[in-house]
């Protein structure tokens, strides 16, 4: 149970940081930051696995810097896709 709570907190922090980078922080609250962080981390993990040919497994150490960087990158990609659909531009 504690791992789930930590994942939500980390997802919220990553989602918040990604929303700051993509200038969407004023449009979303804490719930959407958590969703963006969690979904973005799944997207980032999938993209990382695809780009490395599945040779690296990020699930072995969930809180190492590489895993957090991949999750942050996935959250930025997710916000970029959402902005592209909503506004017609990435930013």
């Amino acid at each position: 149970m504690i791992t789930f709570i930590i994942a939500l907190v980390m997802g919220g922090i990553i989602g918040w940081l990604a929303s700051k980078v993509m200038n969407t922080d004023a449009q979303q609250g804490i719930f959407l930051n958590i969703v963006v962080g969690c979904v973005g981390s799944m997207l980032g993990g999938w993209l990382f696995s695809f780009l490395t040919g599945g040779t690296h497994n990020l699930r072995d150490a969930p809180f190492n810097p590489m895993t957090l960087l991949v999750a942050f990158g996935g959250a930025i990609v997710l916000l970029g896709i959402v902005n592209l659909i909503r506004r017609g531009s990435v930013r």
Side-chain angles (χ1 to χ4, degrees):
M1 183 66 173
I2 192 75
T3 306
F4 180 72
I5 294 170
I6 291 172
L8 288 178
V9 169
M10 292 304 295
I13 292 169
I14 288 172
W16 175 71
L17 289 173
S19 68
K20 286 289 194 186
V21 169
M22 297 298 289
N23 293 327
T24 60
D25 190 45
Q27 300 167 357
Q28 57 191 47
I30 190 166
F31 178 73
L32 282 178
N33 282 335
I34 293 171
V35 170
V36 165
C38 292
V39 173
S41 68
M42 289 187 284
L43 177 65
W46 180 79
L47 287 173
F48 183 76
S49 175
F50 180 75
L51 293 175
T52 60
T55 57
H56 295 1
N57 187 3
L58 294 175
R59 293 183 187 195
D60 293 338
F63 295 112
N64 69 9
M66 185 64 175
T67 304
L68 296 175
L69 186 64
V70 168
F72 180 65
I76 288 176
V77 168
L78 178 66
L79 286 175
I81 292 170
V82 169
N83 285 342
L84 189 63
I85 292 171
R86 277 183 157 176
R87 301 181 196 163
S89 68
V90 176
R91 275 209 179 212

